[in-house]
Amino acid sequence: FWAGRTVTPDFHIQGQNVQDYLQGRYFDAVEQVASRVRTLPHVIGFDVLNEPGLGWLGQPLSTWAGPPIPGPALSPLAALAVARGKPTEVPVIPTGTMRLLNAAGRSIWRDGAECPFERAGIYRVEDGELIPLAEQAFQTCGGRALDITEDVFAPFFTEAAARVRRHREDWLLMAEMDPFGTLTGRHFPARMPEQSVNASHWYDLALLLTKTFDPRVSVDPLTGERTEGPAALCERYVRQLGRLKVLASAFPGGAPTLIGEFGIPYDLDNGQAYAAWASGQRDVFGPHTQALELMYEAMDALLLSSTQWNYTAGNRNDLRIGDQWNQEDLSIFSIDQIDDPLAPDAGGRAVAGFARPYAATVQGQLQSMHFSRHSGTFVVEYEADATVHAPTELVLPPSQFPAGVEIVIVGPARRCEDDATPGLARFLASMSGKVRIACHRKAAPNLI
């Protein structure tokens, strides 16, 4: 898909090199979607390929060099051996123990079919063993070192933008590269298509891979960095997200950043919260709430927009089911969390962690935004621009302000009192200048 012309130049399907064949039909499928949604006003762009994986690109042939994901660690050569039907022992992350794969010796190739990588001279078979012939086959391009950013992603983004904009010229290109490459320093191509958005994904990998969360001690599996305490962990989040935000500065004219995906698994500690819920307890999502809170605090500090993964309408509190895909369980909603179907947050998990106040629109330039769940205070500061004839809108979730909110304004702005929308407050500045809006949670009335 990514480098067939380079790695297997003689592998053709219906007269086309395999790379052109696969990418061409992929973009044909994208265009079929584009043609059907082009008249919908709420469609603002395309995230053309979710978390693209690079296969073996950038890896040596005989040595495993992939991301530290738990499970069997196959070098490209080991994977090719397994594919040919050769039982192969490989190490397992993180234990280092060995596991035998394809013990039955079944080949993926049909009778008479030839492995395209063998045909390309990357390896040969001798006495049943695979002998490497081109150790750098997946690391070179045209006789030089492969540049994944420029050789792989640059032409892909260019073609993606051209294909979707055949149907609407104003569509944005929500661009993302391979997640581990981005997290370890990969940059976007030097010449990104105009109207591109940095839509990189981000996760706390220690939390995601181990499905445990203890802010007292956390070790980043990529860097080995150890943090102790929630404040230090939040600072690490700020550093990681800050590196992603900087990537957009290289786009033509600069570009916005939307963290296209982040979230947490809810089946932490083998579903401990689910067992507690089933026993009748209700305050069971404390660790989840704290994890989300630290993530949102980091994003607020950087003024980042984000999209949480995910909402699954059929999610269940069952380690075998979860989001009903790949044993993942990151949904903010579950059927099993419904006590009262009429409650506004029915089915919500760790609602206090993600139902946070924020500035939806700003009449001018947003400068800072901070929310303390414990004190119930939300503060927004911005430089108002009186030439903008639209109000600042703050979303104030009732779950955070159940008894109402007290608002204090400093600067040339006033609240639009005619607005009665629950959970929303609007402010209009008559003059340019610095505005500070502090929203305080009102105390619950004493009914005794």
Side-chain angles (χ1 to χ4, degrees):
F1 185 88
W2 294 115
R5 289 194 300 269
T6 300
V7 179
T8 55
D10 297 327
F11 182 23
H12 289 78
I13 301 174
Q14 297 179 8
Q16 285 185 294
N17 179 269
V18 62
Q19 178 181 343
D20 299 317
Y21 181 88
L22 293 175
Q23 284 203 18
R25 278 144 185 81
Y26 181 78
F27 282 124
D28 288 347
V30 171
E31 282 205 67
Q32 288 296 318
V33 177
S35 69
R36 286 160 171 76
V37 302
R38 62 186 174 188
T39 61
L40 302 179
H42 59 279
V43 177
I44 64 171
F46 269 68
D47 187 340
V48 180
L49 186 56
N50 174 72
E51 294 190 358
L54 293 173
W56 299 324
L57 285 185
Q59 297 188 38
L61 178 62
S62 304
T63 306
W64 177 84
I69 298 176
L74 283 78
S75 69
L77 191 67
L80 289 166
V82 172
R84 287 191 68 100
K86 176 178 170 53
T88 304
E89 277 198 337
V90 299
V92 177
I93 297 176
T95 62
T97 57
M98 302 300 290
R99 180 181 299 176
L100 181 66
L101 301 182
N102 201 356
R106 295 190 178 94
S107 172
I108 69 168
W109 305 110
R110 293 180 301 175
D111 291 341
E114 186 179 10
C115 171
F117 299 99
E118 181 183 17
R119 183 170 49 175
I122 294 173
Y123 73 92
R124 73 171 186 271
V125 180
E126 188 175 298
D127 297 328
E129 298 294 327
L130 273 66
I131 309 300
L133 301 177
E135 191 62 38
Q136 283 78 46
F138 304 112
Q139 298 174 302
T140 57
C141 177
R144 58 172 174 79
L146 174 72
D147 184 331
I148 289 177
T149 296
E150 300 299 336
D151 296 330
V152 174
F153 285 114
F156 182 80
F157 289 143
T158 298
E159 182 69 7
R163 289 291 199 112
V164 298
R165 289 173 186 161
R166 288 177 183 175
H167 303 271
R168 254 183 52 188
E169 293 182 356
D170 65 336
W171 267 336
L172 301 173
L173 178 68
M174 317 298 282
E176 54 175 302
M177 298 182 292
D178 58 307
F180 284 99
T182 303
L183 290 175
T184 54
R186 194 183 317 287
H187 292 274
F188 280 95
R191 290 186 294 275
M192 284 294 293
E194 292 187 358
Q195 295 173 243
S196 293
V197 174
N198 171 17
S200 300
H201 294 184
W202 173 84
Y203 285 91
D204 177 339
L205 292 180
L207 188 160
L208 185 69
L209 298 178
T210 66
K211 293 196 175 186
T212 61
F213 179 70
D214 184 355
R216 295 172 298 179
V217 177
S218 175
V219 179
D220 186 330
L222 285 182
T223 65
E225 177 190 0
R226 175 188 174 98
T227 57
E228 297 184 5
L233 182 57
C234 187
E235 288 175 4
R236 186 169 86 196
Y237 291 167
V238 170
R239 290 196 302 273
Q240 292 176 345
L241 289 163
R243 287 194 290 268
L244 292 184
K245 184 177 181 179
V246 167
L247 295 177
S249 62
F251 287 32
T257 293
L258 166 72
I259 300 302
E261 185 178 312
F262 86 101
I264 63 169
Y266 284 84
D267 54 343
L268 298 180
D269 301 313
N270 294 313
Q272 182 174 311
Y274 304 160
W277 184 278
S279 71
Q281 300 178 50
R282 287 301 174 261
D283 186 16
V284 300
F285 290 113
H288 312 72
T289 299
Q290 186 178 19
L292 287 170
E293 191 168 46
L294 293 175
M295 293 173 184
Y296 274 109
E297 286 178 3
M299 292 193 201
D300 285 355
L302 295 164
L303 302 180
L304 278 172
S305 297
S306 60
T307 304
Q308 192 177 156
W309 182 267
N310 66 39
Y311 175 94
T312 300
N315 182 280
R316 303 303 300 260
N317 291 354
D318 189 322
L319 301 182
R320 300 165 299 175
I321 298 175
D323 295 336
Q324 303 180 58
W325 183 80
N326 201 31
Q327 288 189 301
E328 291 194 1
D329 196 347
L330 286 83
S331 177
I332 63 173
F333 170 90
S334 174
I335 294 171
D336 293 318
Q337 259 62 68
I338 298 176
D339 280 332
D340 177 4
L342 299 180
D345 295 327
R349 293 166 157 177
V351 174
F354 66 82
R356 293 165 57 90
Y358 65 96
T361 63
V362 175
Q363 184 192 5
Q365 185 67 41
L366 181 63
Q367 294 180 328
S368 68
M369 182 170 68
H370 176 71
F371 174 59
S372 170
R373 179 170 61 92
H374 297 288
S375 69
T377 299
F378 175 54
V379 178
V380 173
E381 295 182 324
Y382 61 98
E383 191 68 28
D385 183 350
T387 65
V388 176
H389 301 294
T392 293
E393 287 189 354
L394 303 185
V395 176
L396 305 171
S399 59
Q400 300 289 358
F401 303 95
V405 60
E406 179 183 344
I407 296 176
V408 179
I409 305 170
V410 177
R414 60 175 177 81
R415 184 172 182 182
C416 303
E417 297 295 344
D418 59 341
D419 173 29
T421 305
L424 189 70
R426 294 185 174 93
F427 307 84
L428 196 62
S430 56
M431 296 186 300
S432 298
K434 185 174 182 179
V435 175
R436 182 182 190 271
I437 302 174
C439 306
H440 303 282
R441 180 189 299 141
K442 286 185 177 180
N446 188 349
L447 302 178
I448 298 177

